[in-house]
């Protein structure tokens, strides 16, 4: 044991002796009342559980437990019509008598174990409910128990949201149906013939469980366990028109298997599985005063909105983002605008895959917060749907010789069958390619690079080789692009230019690593260097379009549009940075200052990441205060902190991002941005604490990932690095590590854990 660890133990013992609680935050959201069971409550108060494919919002009312459940693949529409992501059904347990007189009510969501719990006391009996969505078992379990036997009498009902036939037999309710012919009033008819099924099995200890019309009646049970399964015939295969087998047999088997296993085993399996993902990163941003910590999460959020001063809540919010990714992106389609939670037939923007920031932001935390495999649904989706995108792209985009361009590109909106809607967002393809590359950069999985990422990057590069246009001065520009949702459609918008630069730059690097395609490498290098690049405008801003606009608003310091897409090169790109390109970084800062801190959730989260990349911890932190504020509370404005904030973004009592309505990208973006404040690795070096704010004077993070295949732990005190450790996951190599202005060179063997002390940077 070295001197430092002895020192730490002494320090810890001292803290414990002084009665100071350990600062590692409790990873539990807590409430002292149930969620209101209506649309408002669904969005703002109910708590989400999910296994990446199926999930539910849980309300926790004493008289009625309600799980509004979904399967991420249940979509209307087809490969030509957008349709919308659909709510699946509702599972309700009615407990007559419990609706009044419950005391000691508590509702919690345990982020580390993925378990939702409700407890209350009613007529001297303590009732407990636990709900979780198991990935290994592919079912949702709801367990109701009590401190005294024979207390459960009531009923269980399953409702299907698309009018499926219900069958009730013994202790089981089935629903099976098809979306064929199902058309919403505001939607075009489609060829969708998806089938779906859900079912619940009710298991009792003590008492009786009997079918009773459309319900199952429970009489005098000691405890009951509900095992819920759901699925659709969706398959990620364009050749089968995304439609496979009827899911009834599969769902029945999943439910039967789970129902036959001991509950404790089912639960332990789930908790282990969940913890194996969430538990990879520990974040300690400092201790919250005990009185604040004791508040329920909703009250705590309000107090935070007014006064800040709750680092444990901030760390919890970071872990919540990771919890949400684990719950909405595993083994099926990628997380959509609302993850996999949606209770509406016509959700905002169809709860779709938006290509101009939203789906990308969903995946920003995946690599850096050590949840790499959760990005795989996104890659599978892109490859699975690409045949349809190719078809539609070939119809629309021709080369000079009249032949269709190679590859595929995207419109702003898209669904799981390949249909696209709204205006073209042509560099969406290259932005997607960045995710493929980043997966390799963080994991060093060379097989993934060779077999999955590089072919995709190469095809996307081919699209841009065919489609770029040459200006008279020889520069290359993306023709007729749109800086997302802002300004005109024209040649060479900065957003497009930067994303194509990123694509070519990464593809050149990938080809080099794989030692393939030397000619293509040379061509793409030349083309990259001929792209019209980032430029600085008359008031020191980074130009959003090829030429500075002469417009009353666009390109002026008065322009506060929420999209700041022309800063892509700063984040998530790597073309601009304060160390490599200080002048352009200054221009990016000027632009950000003018755009202001207001915005929707995702907009604020993106700005937070921009500030982190500019190494400005105070500004990044200020954005976090905005993201994590109660929407509309405006209390922080009164305190003069967010004078220019509008009330669009923020965080609801259930900690979901208020867009409004609830939109999950803000949660994911802010989680990634917190990671960016503590660790960056895009510039060929591991940068420790690049944007540490004063509000986090002492803390630690363990388990973040850095590009190059490293796991990084960092500890700091009084705003200064104490030590770090860098573990190499892939081959041996040397890595540069930066702290402040100082860079050191560290040799790391595969699997080796190198400790780095602060003294090495002096
Ligand atoms: C983009 C944004 C909107 C919204 C939508 C889903 O169009 O500009 O704010 O997030 O996506």
């Amino acid at each position: 044991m070295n001197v430092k660890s002895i020192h730490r133990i002494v320090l810890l013992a001292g803290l414990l002796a002084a009665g100071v609680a350990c600062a590692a935050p409790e990873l539990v959201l807590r409430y002292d009342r149930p969620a209101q069971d209506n649309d408002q409550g669904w969005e703002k108060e109910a708590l989400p559980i999910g296994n990446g494919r199926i999930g539910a919002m849980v309300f926790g009312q004493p008289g009625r437990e309600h799980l509004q459940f979904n399967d991420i693949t249940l979509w209307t529409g087809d490969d030509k019509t957008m349709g919308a992501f659909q709510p699946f059904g509702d599972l309700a347990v009615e407990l007559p008598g419990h609706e009044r007189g419950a005391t000691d009510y508590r509702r919690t969501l345990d982020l580390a174990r993925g378990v939702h719990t409700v407890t209350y006391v009613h007529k001297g009996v303590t009732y407990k409910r636990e709900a979780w969505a198991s990935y290994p078992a592919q079912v949702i379990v709801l367990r109701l128990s009590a401190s005294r036997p024979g207390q459960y009498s009531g009923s269980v009902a399953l409702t299907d949201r698309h009018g499926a036939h219900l069958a009730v037999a013994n202790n089981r309710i089935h629903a099976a149906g098809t979306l064929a012919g199902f058309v919403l009033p505001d939607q075009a008819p489609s060829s969708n013939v998806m089938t779906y099924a859900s079912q619940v099995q009710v298991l009792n200890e003590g008492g009786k469980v009997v079918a009773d019309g459309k319900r199952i009646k429970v009489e005098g049970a000691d405890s009951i366990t509900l095992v819920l399964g759901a699925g659709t015939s969706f398959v990620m295969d364009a050749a089968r028109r995304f439609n496979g087998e009827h899911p009834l047999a599969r769902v029945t088997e999943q439910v039967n298997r789970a129902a036959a296993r001991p509950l404790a085993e089912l639960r332990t399996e789930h908790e282990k599985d969940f913890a194996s993902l969430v538990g990879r990163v520990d974040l300690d941003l400092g201790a919250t005063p005990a009185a604040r910590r004791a508040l329920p999460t909703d009250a705590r959020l309000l107090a935070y909105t007014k006064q800040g001063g709750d680092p444990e809540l901030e760390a919890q919010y970071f872990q919540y983002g990771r919890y949400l990714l684990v719950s909405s992106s595993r083994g099926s389609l990628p997380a959509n605008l609302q993850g996999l939670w949606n209770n509406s037939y016509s959700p905002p923007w169809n709860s779709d895959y938006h290509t101009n920031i939203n789906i990308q932001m969903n995946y920003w935390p995946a690599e850096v917060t050590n949840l790499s495999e959760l990005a795989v649904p996104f890659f599978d989706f892109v490859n699975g749907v690409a045949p349809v995108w190719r078809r539609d792209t070939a119809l629309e985009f021709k080369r000079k010789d009249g032949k269709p361009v190679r590859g595929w590109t995207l419109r702003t909106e898209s669904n799981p069958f390949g249909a696209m809607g709204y205006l073209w967002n042509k560099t969406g393809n290259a932005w997607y390619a960045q995710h493929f590359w980043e997966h390799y950069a963080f994991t060093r999985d060379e097989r993934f690079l060779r077999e999955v990422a590089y072919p995709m990057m190469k095809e996307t590069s081919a699209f841009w080789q065919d489609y770029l246009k040459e200006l008279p001065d020889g520069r290359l520009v993306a023709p007729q692009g749109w800086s997302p949702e802002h300004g005109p459609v024209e040649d060479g918008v900065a957003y497009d230019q930067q994303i194509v630069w990123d694509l070519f730059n990464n593809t050149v690097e990938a080809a080099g690593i794989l030692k393939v395609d030397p000619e293509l490498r040379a061509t793409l290098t030349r083309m990259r260097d001929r792209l019209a690049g980032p430029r600085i405008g008359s008031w020191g801003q980074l130009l959003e379009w090829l030429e500075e606009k002469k417009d009353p608003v666009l390109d002026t310091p008065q322009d506060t549009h929420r999209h700041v897409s022309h800063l892509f090169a700063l984040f998530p790109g790597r073309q601009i940075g304060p160390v490599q390109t200080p002048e352009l970084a200054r221009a990016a800062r000027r632009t950000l200052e003018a755009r202001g801190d207001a915005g929707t959730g995702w907009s604020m989260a993106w700005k937070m990441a921009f500030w982190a990349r500019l190494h400005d911890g105070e500004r990044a932190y200020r954005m976090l205060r905005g993201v994590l504020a109660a929407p509309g509370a405006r209390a922080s404005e009164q305190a003069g902190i967010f004078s220019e904030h509008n009330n669009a973004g923020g965080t609801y009592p259930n900690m979901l991002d208020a867009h409004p309505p609830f939109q999950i990208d803000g949660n994911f973006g802010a989680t990634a941005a917190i990671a960016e404040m503590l660790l960056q690795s895009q510039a060929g070096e591991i940068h420790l604490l690049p944007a540490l704010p004063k509000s986090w004077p002492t803390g630690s993070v363990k388990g973040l990932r850095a590009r190059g295949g490293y796991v990084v732990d960092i500890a700091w005190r009084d705003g200064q690095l104490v030590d770090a450790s860098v573990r190499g996951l892939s081959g041996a190599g040397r890595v540069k590590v930066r702290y402040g202005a100082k860079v050191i060179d560290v040799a790391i063997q595969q699997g080796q854990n190198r400790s780095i002390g602060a003294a090495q940077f002096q």
Side-chain angles (χ1 to χ4, degrees), residues 518-666:
E519 274 172 36
L520 179 70
R521 229 180 129 192
T523 307
L524 293 183
T525 305
R526 268 196 311 276
M527 290 182 81
R528 176 195 67 194
D529 295 341
R530 285 176 57 201
L531 285 165
R535 281 171 57 208
I536 300 171
S538 62
W539 47 279
Q541 84 277 30
L542 202 70
L543 285 187
E544 186 163 357
W545 297 276
L546 193 59
E547 301 302 336
E548 185 156 356
K549 294 264 169 273
K550 300 193 174 26
D551 185 276
V553 179
L554 298 181
D555 235 351
T556 71
Q558 285 73 49
D559 187 347
T560 55
H561 195 273
R562 69 188 179 289
H563 282 268
V564 198
S565 313
H566 54 307
L567 265 50
F568 174 94
L570 180 65
F571 184 90
R574 53 177 169 142
Q575 193 179 1
I576 295 179
V579 178
Q580 329 94 277
T581 62
E583 281 176 20
L584 291 171
R586 261 196 298 283
R589 165 178 275 275
R590 187 82 189 88
T591 292
L592 268 184
E593 276 163 353
R595 284 284 166 99
D597 297 342
T600 53
W602 61 258
S603 165
M604 292 197 285
W606 198 353
K607 288 171 186 167
M608 192 177 153
F610 288 144
W611 286 115
R613 283 277 172 102
L614 289 171
H615 304 164
D616 192 329
E618 295 315 309
R619 294 300 298 265
Y621 185 74
R622 185 182 150 94
M623 293 313 308
L624 176 60
R625 285 289 309 277
V627 171
L628 198 42
R634 293 178 170 248
S636 49
E637 287 184 21
Q638 285 152 19
I641 300 171
F642 282 105
S643 49
E644 74 270 50
H645 243 288
N646 61 25
N647 66 353
T651 296
Y652 289 135
N654 57 7
M655 276 198 145
L656 289 171
D657 165 47
H659 184 280
F662 134 58
Q663 197 168 288
I664 210 159
D665 40 24

Side-chain angles (χ1 to χ4, degrees), residues 337 349 354 356-358 412 485 562-563 600 602 659 663 665:
L337 284 176
W349 293 282
H354 244 63
N356 67 5
I357 176 62
N358 314 89
T412 304
E485 307 184 23
R562 69 188 179 289
H563 282 268
T600 53
W602 61 258
H659 184 280
Q663 197 168 288
D665 40 24

Side-chain angles (χ1 to χ4, degrees), residues 303-621:
Y304 177 84
T305 305
K306 292 197 189 113
Q307 302 155 28
D310 194 343
E312 290 180 34
L313 184 73
E314 291 162 344
Q316 206 177 73
Y317 180 65
F318 166 86
Q319 297 289 17
Y320 191 46
R322 300 180 64 248
Y323 168 93
L324 291 170
L325 198 65
V326 174
S327 305
S328 63
S329 181
R330 264 181 113 185
S332 188
L333 282 169
N336 59 46
L337 284 176
Q338 294 187 207
L340 55 68
W341 301 277
N342 160 42
N343 70 341
S344 163
Y345 293 110
S346 314
W349 293 282
N350 307 311
S351 196
D352 75 348
Y353 297 114
H354 244 63
T355 71
N356 67 5
I357 176 62
N358 314 89
I359 191 174
Q360 293 93 331
M361 186 174 278
N362 285 1
Y363 287 91
W364 284 354
E367 306 294 343
V368 67
T369 81
N370 212 338
L371 295 170
S372 211
E373 62 269 60
L374 301 185
V376 171
F378 175 68
F379 306 136
D380 288 348
F381 161 68
V382 171
N383 283 326
V385 168
V388 182
W389 294 339
R390 281 185 200 108
R391 177 198 74 191
D392 289 355
T393 299
L395 293 173
E396 185 91 15
F397 297 97
K398 309 283 180 227
R399 304 194 307 205
K400 272 202 212 107
D401 62 8
K403 292 198 182 126
V405 293
R406 293 171 289 171
W408 50 264
T409 187
L410 297 166
R411 289 181 183 272
T412 304
E413 302 178 349
S414 71
N415 79 3
F417 318 106
M420 299 190 278
Y422 199 37
L423 299 190
W424 287 100
N425 170 42
K426 294 171 205 165
T427 41
N429 61 4
W431 197 343
Y432 283 9
Q434 186 196 50
H435 285 249
F436 285 71
W437 163 252
E438 292 275 63
H439 189 69
Y440 166 75
F442 277 90
T443 60
R444 288 281 145 153
D445 178 346
E446 205 163 313
R447 189 167 157 192
F448 175 83
L449 182 67
R450 189 178 317 106
E451 293 174 11
V452 184
Y454 185 68
M456 188 279 178
M457 295 163 76
K458 193 171 160 181
E459 183 183 11
T460 308
S461 296
F463 174 91
W464 286 103
Q465 283 175 275
D466 289 354
Y467 192 60
L468 282 175
K469 172 175 158 184
E470 189 176 339
L471 293 179
D473 64 10
R475 286 181 301 165
L476 297 176
V477 290
Q480 297 301 295
W482 191 31
S483 194
E485 307 184 23
H486 193 213
V489 171
E490 60 183 40
D491 291 351
V493 304
Y495 158 84
D496 285 341
Q497 297 302 115
Q498 295 171 9
I499 297 180
V500 176
W501 188 94
D502 189 78
L503 169 72
F504 286 172
N505 193 50
N506 294 339
T507 309
V508 166
E509 196 172 332
I513 291 162
L514 295 173
K515 301 191 179 58
V516 294
D517 298 334
E519 274 172 36
L520 179 70
R521 229 180 129 192
T523 307
L524 293 183
T525 305
R526 268 196 311 276
M527 290 182 81
R528 176 195 67 194
D529 295 341
R530 285 176 57 201
L531 285 165
R535 281 171 57 208
I536 300 171
S538 62
W539 47 279
Q541 84 277 30
L542 202 70
L543 285 187
E544 186 163 357
W545 297 276
L546 193 59
E547 301 302 336
E548 185 156 356
K549 294 264 169 273
K550 300 193 174 26
D551 185 276
V553 179
L554 298 181
D555 235 351
T556 71
Q558 285 73 49
D559 187 347
T560 55
H561 195 273
R562 69 188 179 289
H563 282 268
V564 198
S565 313
H566 54 307
L567 265 50
F568 174 94
L570 180 65
F571 184 90
R574 53 177 169 142
Q575 193 179 1
I576 295 179
V579 178
Q580 329 94 277
T581 62
E583 281 176 20
L584 291 171
R586 261 196 298 283
R589 165 178 275 275
R590 187 82 189 88
T591 292
L592 268 184
E593 276 163 353
R595 284 284 166 99
D597 297 342
T600 53
W602 61 258
S603 165
M604 292 197 285
W606 198 353
K607 288 171 186 167
M608 192 177 153
F610 288 144
W611 286 115
R613 283 277 172 102
L614 289 171
H615 304 164
D616 192 329
E618 295 315 309
R619 294 300 298 265
Y621 185 74

Side-chain angles (χ1 to χ4, degrees), residues 204-339:
N204 60 308
E205 281 159 43
K208 266 205 319 216
V209 157
V210 285
D212 176 25
K214 290 202 157 175
R215 297 170 169 252
I216 289 178
K217 229 163 83 186
V218 179
E219 286 171 15
D222 305 343
S223 62
I224 48 176
T225 303
L226 279 61
V227 179
L228 173 69
T232 80
S233 58
F234 178 85
V235 282
M236 197 66 261
D237 184 353
R240 293 166 76 187
R241 305 213 63 212
F242 303 98
N243 196 28
E245 275 166 28
H246 197 296
L248 181 62
R250 189 178 69 236
V251 170
T252 306
E253 194 191 312
Q254 285 163 346
V255 171
N256 284 348
R257 265 198 203 183
R261 292 174 60 193
L263 186 72
E265 182 191 300
L266 206 58
R267 182 175 167 149
T268 309
E269 173 190 68
H270 161 71
E271 288 187 6
K272 269 198 183 153
D273 168 69
F274 211 87
S276 72
L277 293 161
V278 174
R280 288 178 191 167
V281 176
D282 289 331
L283 178 61
D284 169 3
L285 296 173
T288 294
R292 187 75 80 78
R293 189 191 299 122
L295 293 174
T297 302
D298 42 357
R300 211 167 147 177
L301 277 163
L302 287 175
Y304 177 84
T305 305
K306 292 197 189 113
Q307 302 155 28
D310 194 343
E312 290 180 34
L313 184 73
E314 291 162 344
Q316 206 177 73
Y317 180 65
F318 166 86
Q319 297 289 17
Y320 191 46
R322 300 180 64 248
Y323 168 93
L324 291 170
L325 198 65
V326 174
S327 305
S328 63
S329 181
R330 264 181 113 185
S332 188
L333 282 169
N336 59 46
L337 284 176
Q338 294 187 207

